Amino acid sequence: MRKELTSVKNPAVQAAKALQTAKGRREQSAFLCDGEHMTMEALHVCPDKVRTVFVDMTQEARFADILADVPATAEICLVTRPVMEAISQVKTPQGIAAVCGLPESRPLDGMGHRLVLLENVQDPGNVGTILRTLDAAGFDGCILTEGCADLWSPKTLRATMGSAFRVPAALAKDGPSACKALQQLGYAIIGAELHGQPFYQRDALPDKLCLLIGNEGQGLTDDVLSLCDYRFKLPMMGGAESLNAAIAAAVMMYDIVNR
């Protein structure tokens, strides 16, 4: 079913606009996929979660192939440019967006053998980039504590480049409780920290492991570090004292997978 929406005050438009905030996403149990790539990923990976697709009515023909994939359970709304600008969080909207239902947090058991746990990683770009790299490197899933940037915020989603739809994600109240649960499931806990052992001089690691990445400024909390089975640092050959959280995670994930 298709309908036209021409007013930014329309309830459906206001509801979609509210998804720019954590409060709106929580109240509606939904998030917004903004742009062509993200909408296509949602329709390809989780079509059952797609509730509404908004498309600039002047670009309906351009997005005809995408609209053909919209399931019968979802609604297609043809909107004016001002309406699309109200819904989108980017300066120049691409002309298409989708509202999707939030997926449930995955249980820790059954997520796979190689996981990443993010403890209080607050930058949306870092969270999204780590998820994208995790997907590319061949890790199996991601755990985020409550102090992390919202995985389903527009900025984080854009940084994932669609990997948020493919990577199993679990939410944890805090790092220590997640680590204890993982250890009970047989995971080795590996902390990335500046005072750890040299990463490249390590012995062989267990197949079932979880790599921990901490807050951008403070690193991993002491409570989490006390639970780690391994603590590793990357070498700093130049003048820099540390690496960006997403870069450090990428280096360590790829080396773990390929050694």
Side-chain angles (χ1 to χ4, degrees):
M1 182 176 68
R2 302 190 185 197
K3 66 180 182 180
E4 293 188 0
L5 300 179
T6 60
S7 173
V8 296
K9 296 182 179 180
N10 182 282
V13 176
Q14 289 296 305
K17 184 178 179 181
L19 297 177
Q20 296 177 8
T21 69
K23 180 175 182 286
R25 292 189 291 274
R26 187 168 55 251
E27 290 179 346
Q28 298 181 52
S29 190
F31 65 98
L32 184 72
C33 298
D34 196 349
E36 182 176 4
H37 179 76
M38 295 301 294
T39 300
M40 289 176 62
E41 287 283 355
L43 289 169
H44 176 67
V45 180
C46 54
D48 58 309
K49 292 289 185 181
V50 178
R51 298 179 183 175
T52 309
V53 175
F54 296 92
V55 62
D56 186 327
M57 59 180 60
T58 65
Q59 301 190 58
E60 184 179 2
R62 173 190 168 192
F63 295 121
D65 289 345
I66 297 176
L67 296 179
D69 290 333
V70 176
T73 53
E75 186 174 55
I76 296 174
C77 294
L78 305 177
V79 303
T80 60
R81 184 165 186 80
V83 168
M84 184 60 70
E85 290 174 345
I87 292 171
S88 177
Q89 202 180 48
V90 299
K91 187 174 181 179
T92 306
Q94 294 182 11
I96 192 167
V99 172
C100 301
L102 282 173
E104 295 181 358
S105 175
R106 295 286 291 270
L108 295 184
D109 58 332
M111 287 187 70
H113 277 206
R114 292 183 178 133
L115 307 180
V116 172
L117 187 151
L118 306 183
E119 187 190 32
N120 307 330
V121 178
Q122 297 177 334
D123 184 84
N126 282 337
V127 172
T129 299
I130 290 171
L131 214 77
R132 180 182 179 185
T133 308
L134 182 159
D135 187 18
F139 267 59
D140 300 309
C142 186
I143 304 161
L144 301 94
T145 66
E146 288 183 356
C148 287
D150 187 352
L151 175 57
W152 305 106
S153 74
K155 288 183 179 179
T156 310
L157 275 175
R158 284 197 295 273
T160 72
M161 287 298 290
S163 290
F165 299 117
R166 294 185 294 273
V167 174
L171 302 180
K173 182 178 181 180
D174 55 57
S177 63
C179 287
K180 291 175 183 176
L182 288 166
Q183 286 175 324
Q184 290 178 351
L185 292 170
Y187 287 89
I189 306 301
I190 301 171
E193 66 134 345
L194 294 176
H195 304 292
Q197 298 299 311
F199 179 63
Y200 293 113
Q201 296 177 25
R202 69 186 189 276
D203 294 326
L205 295 174
D207 289 334
K208 198 172 183 181
L209 58 83
C210 182
L211 173 65
L212 276 54
I213 303 295
N215 174 267
E216 290 87 349
Q218 304 299 320
L220 294 168
T221 61
D222 290 340
D223 287 344
V224 158
L225 286 172
S226 69
L227 294 169
C228 289
D229 300 297
Y230 304 87
R231 300 186 197 179
F232 292 128
K233 65 178 179 180
L234 289 169
M236 299 293 143
M237 311 301 287
E241 295 182 355
S242 64
L243 285 173
N244 165 275
I247 297 297
V251 171
M252 297 179 89
M253 279 190 283
Y254 267 95
D255 196 72
I256 288 171
V257 167
N258 288 286
R259 187 186 290 197

